[in-house]
C-alpha cells in the first residue's frame, strides 16, 4: 500500500527504538528501515528488517525478521507481502525468516476476510520450514509517531510476538 506520512515517521522511530533495545540487551542484531532482499521475484522491500549486525557475511544475510506496518490496507496486499517474504525464505534451504504484521485498527479488513487470511497464511507457515509469521492488531495515535513507537516497544503483545520470531530466526543471539 502507498506509504502514508504516519507510516514513514512511525517506522523510522520504531527502527530507532529497536536498535536501542538491541544495544541495551547486547544482542548482535540491527534494525533497518526499508530493508530490501533480492529474490527471483524481484526486490522485496520490508518496512523494518532485523538482521545480524554483520549481515555482510553471506551466511548471516540468510536470516531476517521483517516488520510490516499496515495502516490502510487490504487482505490481498497483506497476503502479497506474506507471499513475497515466504518465497524469499523458501527459495533457499539455508534461509530462515519471520514476518510480523502490525495491522492498524483502521485498516479496511472485515472479520471474515481476516479469518480467511489467517487460515491461508498459517497454511504456508506449516508447510514451509524456516518461515514464521505473527500478526497483531493495534490502534496508533497517528499524531505522535515517536511516542507511538516507544509505546509499541513497551507493549507486551508486540514484544512477545516480535521476540518469538527473533528467537526462532536468531536463536544464538540470546
Amino acid at each position: 500500500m502507498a506509504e502514508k506520512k504516519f507510516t514513514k515517521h512511525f517506522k523510522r522511530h520504531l527502527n530507532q527504538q529497536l536498535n536501542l533495545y538491541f544495544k541495551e540487551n547486547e544482542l548482535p542484531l540491527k534494525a533497518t528501515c526499508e530493508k530490501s532482499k533480492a529474490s527471483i521475484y524481484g526486490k522485496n522491500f520490508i518496512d523494518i528488517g532485523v538482521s545480524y549486525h554483520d549481515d555482510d557475511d553471506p551466511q548471516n544475510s540468510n536470516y531476517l525478521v521483517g516488520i510490516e506496518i499496515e495502516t490502510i490496507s487490504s487482505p490481498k496486499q497483506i497476503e502479497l507481502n506474506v507471499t513475497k517474504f515466504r518465497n524469499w525464505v523458501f527459495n533457499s534451504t539455508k534461509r530462515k525468516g519471520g514476518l510480523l504484521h502490525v495491522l492498524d485498527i483502521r485498516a479496511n479488513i472485515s472479520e471474515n476476510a481476516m479469518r480467511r487470511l489467517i487460515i491461508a497464511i498459517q497454511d504456508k507457515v506449516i508447510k514451509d520450514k524456516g518461515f514464521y509469521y505473527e500478526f497483531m492488531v493495534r490502534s496508533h495515535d497517528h499524531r505522535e509517531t515517536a511516542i507511538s513507537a516507544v509505546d509499541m516497544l513497551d507493549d507486551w503483545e508486540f514484544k512477545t510476538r516480535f521476540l518469538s520470531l527473533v528467537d526462532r530466526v536468531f536463536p544464538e543471539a540470546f
Side-chain angles (χ1 to χ4, degrees), residues 36-70:
S36 69
K37 285 291 184 178
S39 76
I40 60 173
Y41 304 99
K43 275 207 172 188
N44 246 352
F45 286 95
I46 301 151
D47 287 338
I48 298 174
V50 175
S51 57
Y52 279 113
H53 200 271
D54 62 341
D55 72 342
D56 292 333
D57 176 346
Q59 178 61 31
N60 288 345
S61 67
N62 287 324
Y63 303 98
L64 181 68
V65 170
I67 301 173
E68 279 290 328
I69 300 154
E70 303 285 349

Side-chain angles (χ1 to χ4, degrees), residues 160-171:
T160 301
R161 292 179 187 282
F162 175 69
L163 291 177
S164 75
L165 291 174
V166 169
D167 183 48
R168 288 176 180 162
V169 176
F170 309 105

